[in-house]
Amino acid sequence: MSDVTVFAPSPTLTITVEDHPQGSEIHVHAGGQGVWQARMLRRLGCEVTMCCVLTGEIGSTLGHLLEDEGLRVVSVERAGRGSAYVHDRRGGKRVAVAEEQGDPLGRHDLDDLYTRMLDAGSRSRISILSGPAGDETVPADMYRRLAADLRDEERRVVADLAGDRMRAVLAGGVDVLKISHEELAGDGLITDDSTAGIRAAMRRLREEGAGTVVVTRASDPLLMMDDRGTVEVSLPAFAEAETRGAGDSLTAGVVAGLVRGEPLRRAITLGAAAGALNVTRHGLGTGDGAAIRSLRDRVRQRTVDAEEAPVAEERTSPDGLAARAAPEEDR
């Protein structure tokens, strides 16, 4: 039995070329939202099962890479084209050389994937539902069914999704939904970046099926709304090394706190620390547990009552750190 099962339907093989004093250095890793979440969970001392589809030659390579990271992999194996990318960072910025989202899943593969996730998730305390590499890879309704079938009095479901997949998990019911304010805007739930507008959208998301909603919002502190109201959570800014993956590390940190038995308002501080540290590193979903634990002491949390809008501080959320440049703790 694992502490957490991560639904990562189509992990990505990532190949990155970087500068080296003697020429070029080529890095090959498993990647994608669910992988980055699972990697951070392992850094925070959680036992993790990843449920995914491994496709073709790329899938075979990914299976070995995931197991080498200490993950228990429950997979559906099939022929075809898997998700992968080749990025060139030798000039200081990411340049996409080649990117492939992979082939959509057929009916039999979808049935097998659902069965494996339902079985693995039923053996874990918490399940995370993360998105696929491409919009057409997995139908959104699978997320509704998983959210509904995995939740019970002893098990929680956490989702880090937007668009049709977010609406699907809301219909199924989800304990924690994490989303960015940019994604809220993209889904037509807000028309501006005002705190009042974001909080109104958060209330709507709770009414539609989310127990707690966490919204990251660029350079402003993140907001979390639960049964008790709203809190804002902030961190000092850090110099950035990599702008991606902060939100995934945040989600993983929150879940790691929940695994430890912490209430959500305490767990969010671990998530904020994990997300903030992520942007100081080139590796996505990485960071030392002791460093995250120390950084957690610098997280600031303030309660926002129902009538008063929060006053912005000169601090930023983990996703905010990443947004300025564009968009590993023991149990």
Side-chain angles (χ1 to χ4, degrees):
M1 174 178 176
S2 297
D3 299 313
V4 184
T5 295
V6 179
F7 181 67
S10 53
T12 299
L13 181 65
T14 73
I15 302 174
T16 306
V17 186
E18 298 188 349
D19 279 324
H20 187 275
Q22 279 72 50
S24 296
E25 187 172 21
I26 301 175
H27 299 270
V28 180
H29 297 288
Q33 182 185 38
V35 174
W36 297 326
Q37 292 165 346
R39 181 176 294 142
M40 178 56 75
L41 282 163
R42 288 295 294 140
R43 300 300 176 96
L44 293 171
C46 296
E47 294 296 323
V48 183
T49 294
M50 173 171 289
C51 187
C52 60
V53 174
L54 300 178
T55 305
E57 294 178 325
I58 286 173
S60 178
T61 302
L62 282 169
H64 293 295
L65 292 173
L66 292 169
E67 290 176 351
D68 287 347
E69 295 200 38
L71 302 175
R72 176 176 178 263
V73 181
V74 176
S75 64
V76 175
E77 299 180 7
R78 64 168 185 161
R81 299 178 307 150
S83 173
Y85 67 66
V86 180
H87 287 178
D88 189 341
R89 289 187 54 179
R90 287 174 293 184
K93 296 182 179 180
R94 285 186 179 271
V95 177
V97 178
E99 296 183 333
E100 174 55 53
Q101 294 182 345
D103 297 325
L105 300 184
R107 179 172 64 85
H108 295 296
D109 293 329
L110 289 170
D111 285 346
D112 289 344
L113 178 62
Y114 192 91
T115 299
R116 285 165 172 73
M117 181 60 196
L118 189 60
D119 178 61
S122 297
R123 300 171 188 268
S124 298
R125 299 164 61 183
I126 300 175
S127 293
I128 300 178
L129 303 182
S130 67
D135 288 339
E136 304 303 320
T137 306
V138 178
D141 191 60
M142 177 174 280
Y143 287 86
R144 176 192 62 80
R145 295 164 56 208
L146 284 173
D149 290 348
L150 288 169
R151 293 176 74 220
D152 59 27
E153 294 180 355
E154 298 180 356
R155 295 169 183 83
R156 294 179 176 181
V157 173
V158 175
D160 189 346
L161 301 166
D164 290 342
R165 290 183 285 273
M166 176 197 69
R167 287 185 281 272
V169 296
L170 289 175
V174 63
D175 295 286
V176 182
L177 172 68
K178 180 263 176 187
I179 191 169
S180 70
H181 81 283
E182 295 96 341
E183 290 168 328
L184 288 176
D187 289 337
L189 294 171
I190 57 174
T191 57
D192 56 46
D193 295 344
S194 69
T195 298
I198 293 173
R199 291 177 63 202
M202 295 171 78
R203 284 191 290 271
R204 177 178 171 182
L205 293 173
R206 294 194 70 238
E207 291 170 355
E208 292 180 356
T212 297
V213 179
V214 177
V215 176
T216 55
R217 43 179 198 155
S219 60
D220 293 324
L222 66 86
L223 295 173
M224 185 182 82
M225 181 179 289
D226 57 15
D227 290 336
R228 297 163 55 192
T230 307
V231 294
E232 63 176 20
V233 183
S234 58
L235 275 172
F238 294 99
E240 300 161 352
E242 173 57 69
T243 61
R244 303 183 306 156
D248 300 320
S249 289
L250 185 151
T251 299
V254 172
V255 171
L258 295 176
V259 168
R260 292 165 54 98
E262 297 176 355
L264 263 169
R265 291 196 176 197
R266 175 61 177 162
I268 191 69
T269 64
L270 183 61
L277 186 62
N278 185 92
V279 302
T280 71
R281 302 172 59 85
H282 290 286
L284 302 183
T286 65
D288 178 69
I292 294 172
R293 196 163 51 241
S294 176
L295 182 57
R296 188 182 199 180
D297 294 336
R298 299 173 63 182
V299 175
R300 299 292 178 264
Q301 185 175 129
R302 187 169 78 88
T303 301
V304 181
D305 64 33
E307 290 76 33
E308 178 186 356
V311 178
E313 299 178 336
E314 294 184 0
R315 299 175 182 270
T316 187
S317 70
D319 270 3
L321 298 173
R324 288 183 175 180
E328 264 168 351
E329 162 168 17
D330 301 322
R331 289 170 53 197

